[in-house]
């Protein structure tokens, strides 16, 4: 599968399976992001008979390259008019009637208009998925959006969230009845990301000798990831041991982050890798994984780092503290305390034995609590029985 330009549709040769359950997925974007990548894993792993139509409201289907050859998937762009809610909902009604799905699946705030249209027109059974918030809600939910969600999600069959924090928000702020709430934790492919605790593999483009401690993260360079916070915390580290910072990911913040590294005097010790395909290799090339976001719920990159047996220094957002191994939780610090984040990084940089022990504990916890197979089984049951 590849991305398709606006106005075209890629159709799998098995499109007309007679008994397949037809799922219509609507994303704001099907680009390289946590939710599209996770849903590619789900689609690839489903054991029931399904066919899928994936709609991207921005026409981007970059994540579709992750779909397996056996997956029966159509890719369909749809552009909703800006500032004209009624026309947009009419477009959604036309889409759903033409597609004739058995089940409509919408993802996050970016597809909430589609959820609202389906509620008003009652076209199709509907499940909505919420995985987190963008920069606009990094410091808390907006009352207007909460009200919109209450209306749009009022008749969903189920609302699916990955985190306990989101369960609480959905029940209180969005008035979703407990009977409609389902928590399905994100899962990680342990075989793909597996690493050896305490062992750092050489990482291309990063010159780091055995005495260097490599701290890094994997994240799209967007404002809500607040990588400036990580740069500032890194700049506070003492000169010994010698540390390098690696940031894997691309996005609109790239130039501003580069300038920030220059101002902080850490540009020579900071490597921006850009978009990377081989995330497991990046994670195995780190001694410490860092997370500095303003808002998260259950970040895939955190689970991947745990599967790779990396110790974690992170800010306390969403379910991050709950996710890491109990032994690692003292290194999850208040979100806005950059000095504390620097202290967590320094504590790990100075103690190789602790890094190894925490990496091992994180890996074991990821295997037990956050397996990809368990996630796919849960989705299989939900989507087949809904």
């Amino acid at each position: 599968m590849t991305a398709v330009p606006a106005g075209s549709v890629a159709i799998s040769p098995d499109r007309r399976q007679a008994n397949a359950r037809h799922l219509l997925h609507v994303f704001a974007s099907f680009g390289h992001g946590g939710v599209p990548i996770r849903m590619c894993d789900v689609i690839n792993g489903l054991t029931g008979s399904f066919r899928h139509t994936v709609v991207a409201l921005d026409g981007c289907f970059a994540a579709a390259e992750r779909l397996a050859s056996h997956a029966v998937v159509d890719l369909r762009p749809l552009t909703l008019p800006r500032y004209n809610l009624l026309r947009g909902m009419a477009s959604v009604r036309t889409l759903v009637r033409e597609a004739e799905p058995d089940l409509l699946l919408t993802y996050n705030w970016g597809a909430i208009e589609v959820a609202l249209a389906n509620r008003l027109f009652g076209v199709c059974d509907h499940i909505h998925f919420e995985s987190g918030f963008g920069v606009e809600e990094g410091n808390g939910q907006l009352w207007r959006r909460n009200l919109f969600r209450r209306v749009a999600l009022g008749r969903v069959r189920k609302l699916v969230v990955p985190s306990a924090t989101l369960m609480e928000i959905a029940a209180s702020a969005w008035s979703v009845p407990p009977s409609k709430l389902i928590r399905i934790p994100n899962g990680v492919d342990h075989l793909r990301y597996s690493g050896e605790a305490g062992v750092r593999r050489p990482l291309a483009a990063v010159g780091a000798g055995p005495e260097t401690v490599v701290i890094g993260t994997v994240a799209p360079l967007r404002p809500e990831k607040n990588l400036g916070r990580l740069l500032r915390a890194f700049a506070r580290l003492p000169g010994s041991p010698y540390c390098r910072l690696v940031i894997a990911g691309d996005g609109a913040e790239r130039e501003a982050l580069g300038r920030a590294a220059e101002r902080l005097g850490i540009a020579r010790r900071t490597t921006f890798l850009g978009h990377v395909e081989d995330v497991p290799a990046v994670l195995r090339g780190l001694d410490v994984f860092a997370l500095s976001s303003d808002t998260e719920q259950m970040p895939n990159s955190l689970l991947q780092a745990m599967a790779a047996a990396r110790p974690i220094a992170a800010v306390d957002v969403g379910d991050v503290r709950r996710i890491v191994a109990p032994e690692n939780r003292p290194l999850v610090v208040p979100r806005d305390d950059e000095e504390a984040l620097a202290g967590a990084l320094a504590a790990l940089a100075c103690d190789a034995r602790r890094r190894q022990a925490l990496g091992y504990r994180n890996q074991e916890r990821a295997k037990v609590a956050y397996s990809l197979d368990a996630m796919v089984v849960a989705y299989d049951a939900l989507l087949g029985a809904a």
Side-chain angles (χ1 to χ4, degrees), residues 112-195:
I112 201 70
E113 285 187 34
V114 178
L116 177 63
N118 191 71
R119 174 177 184 177
L120 296 180
F121 298 127
V123 179
C124 184
D125 268 356
H126 176 209
I127 294 177
H128 184 72
F129 299 81
E130 277 285 347
S131 297
F133 306 106
V135 64
E136 302 87 354
E137 295 179 281
N139 291 311
Q141 285 66 65
L142 303 175
W143 71 266
R144 289 183 294 273
R145 290 196 177 188
N146 284 343
L147 180 60
F148 201 104
R149 288 183 177 106
R150 287 187 185 188
V151 176
L153 304 178
R155 292 183 183 173
V156 292
R157 181 176 289 272
K158 297 292 180 184
L159 172 64
V160 182
V161 298
S163 71
T165 301
L166 266 178
M167 287 280 283
E168 297 165 3
I169 292 172
S172 59
W174 309 339
S175 300
V176 179
S179 61
K180 292 187 175 184
L181 273 172
I182 296 180
R183 177 174 172 249
I184 301 180
N186 297 341
V188 61
D189 184 343
H190 300 290
L191 292 178
R192 182 181 180 201
Y193 290 95
S194 180

Side-chain angles (χ1 to χ4, degrees), residues 27-88:
F27 299 84
S29 177
F30 204 62
H32 291 294
V35 176
I37 290 171
R38 179 167 69 253
M39 291 312 299
C40 286
D41 288 338
V42 169
I43 290 171
N44 293 341
L46 291 174
T47 59
S49 181
F50 296 95
R51 60 186 178 92
H52 308 265
T53 298
V54 172
V55 173
L57 299 179
D58 67 349
C60 177
F61 293 91
E65 65 190 20
R66 295 174 175 266
L67 292 169
S69 59
H70 67 262
V72 184
V73 183
D74 296 351
L75 306 178
R76 178 168 179 168
L78 174 70
T79 302
L80 297 181
R82 297 187 67 185
Y83 312 117
N84 194 324
L85 183 60
L86 293 178
R87 283 185 57 198

Side-chain angles (χ1 to χ4, degrees), residues 271-294:
T271 301
F272 292 92
L273 294 179
H275 174 71
V276 294
E277 293 294 335
D278 194 353
V279 173
V282 172
L283 294 173
R284 295 184 195 114
L286 306 179
D287 292 295
V288 177
F289 180 83
L291 188 144
S292 58
S293 303
D294 282 339

Side-chain angles (χ1 to χ4, degrees), residues 314-326:
V315 295
D316 190 7
V317 290
D319 273 19
V320 169
R321 183 182 295 276
R322 292 182 175 107
I323 293 168
V324 299

